[in-house]
Amino acid sequence: DIQMTQSPSTLSASVGDRVTITCRASQSISSWLAWYQQKPGKAPKLLIYKASSLESGVPSRFSGSGSGTEFTLTISSLQPDDFATYYCQQYPWTFGQGTKVEIK
Amino acid sequence: QVQLVESGGGLVKPGGSLRLSCAASGFTFSDYYMSWIRQAPGKGLEWVSYISSSSSYTNYADSVKGRFTISRDNAKNSLYLQMNSLRAEDTAVYYCARGLMVRGLHEFAFDIWGQGTMVTVSS
């Protein structure tokens, strides 16, 4: 089975910061990767699919990159609404363990 | 609007059974792959099961294989998860989710999620 490892597990940042979250696959998954945002008590929200395609309605400050085994989610300028937990997902089976973005 | 609404969760004893339902509205349900994903309290997301648009293909996580059965009724715009031989480790919020489709192609990410239904397995 393919394992997905996210880093860091927790990230402390301030409004306006550039934030990068990494997701590594145990073997190549081409570009079959998605990123989700989840807030407490809510369902996850799709941000990025196919590694770098922005889902409709998602702000352009979110971007995804990578292929093969290493992927990144970047938030170019962190906004108050962005404090949440982020998950990567190797289509369609395996999720990473999550990265919590906290207020510094 | 596009919506998924889960129901059927509750408290069940170990070894018991439960059937979850997911009612879809606002889109052509029969066009889309559907999945169940769960989240144990305070934990991350775990994909559970997956069904193709015509029910011709299903798949399950190893942790539920042989115990859970996914099905759908396209005439009723509904998705189901029959859960048998439940264990304490099945305790979680269960989400149904729609498979993303882009220009007619299935992308296998999940673009629409329900609000979730809680399943608690405890004696």
Side-chain angles (χ1 to χ4, degrees):
Chain A
D1 289 358
I2 298 174
Q3 307 299 317
M4 305 301 293
T5 303
Q6 280 184 241
S7 60
S9 297
T10 306
L11 187 159
S12 297
S14 301
V15 172
D17 284 353
R18 181 181 181 88
V19 166
T20 299
I21 299 168
T22 298
C23 183
R24 289 186 174 87
S26 58
Q27 62 190 75
S28 177
I29 58 170
S30 184
S31 296
W32 303 120
L33 188 101
W35 290 97
Y36 299 85
Q37 177 194 68
Q38 188 180 32
K39 296 181 179 179
K42 300 294 187 182
K45 173 186 175 183
L46 178 64
L47 301 175
I48 301 286
Y49 64 94
K50 204 180 277 185
S52 61
S53 296
L54 191 69
E55 169 67 346
S56 176
V58 173
S60 58
R61 63 181 180 272
F62 291 92
S63 64
S65 65
S67 66
T69 62
E70 188 152 338
F71 303 86
T72 58
L73 173 71
T74 299
I75 308 172
S76 60
S77 178
L78 198 65
Q79 298 302 300
D81 191 48
D82 300 338
F83 292 98
T85 299
Y86 294 84
Y87 294 93
C88 64
Q89 175 217 357
Q90 173 249 331
Y91 289 3
W93 323 126
T94 313
F95 289 90
Q97 79 277 16
T99 294
K100 185 175 183 180
V101 177
E102 298 181 326
I103 300 173
K104 191 172 185 179
Chain B
Q1 74 278 26
V2 175
Q3 195 174 8
L4 297 170
V5 179
E6 301 95 337
S7 60
L11 175 63
V12 61
K13 289 181 167 55
S17 297
L18 213 53
R19 189 195 195 207
L20 304 184
S21 298
C22 172
S25 59
F27 64 99
T28 305
F29 180 72
S30 59
D31 284 347
Y32 290 85
Y33 287 29
M34 298 294 296
S35 276
W36 289 97
I37 298 123
R38 68 184 180 184
Q39 188 169 35
K43 302 296 185 182
L45 300 167
E46 180 188 16
W47 168 80
V48 173
S49 184
Y50 178 89
I51 187 167
S52 62
S53 53
S54 63
S55 304
S56 58
Y57 177 73
T58 61
N59 204 352
Y60 299 90
D62 287 343
S63 57
V64 307
K65 202 170 290 184
R67 300 188 298 124
F68 290 12
T69 302
I70 191 171
S71 62
R72 64 191 295 164
D73 185 334
N74 286 343
K76 294 183 177 179
N77 293 333
S78 293
L79 177 72
Y80 306 102
L81 186 67
Q82 177 67 44
M83 303 186 296
N84 299 330
S85 303
L86 282 161
R87 307 167 179 167
E89 54 265 35
D90 296 319
T91 295
V93 173
Y94 284 73
Y95 296 101
C96 68
R98 188 181 82 171
L100 175 69
M101 197 155 60
V102 178
R103 292 185 290 277
L105 297 178
H106 297 287
E107 282 287 342
F108 300 104
F110 308 121
D111 65 339
I112 302 296
W113 296 62
Q115 84 289 352
T117 187
M118 183 71 204
V119 172
T120 303
V121 184
S122 174
S123 55

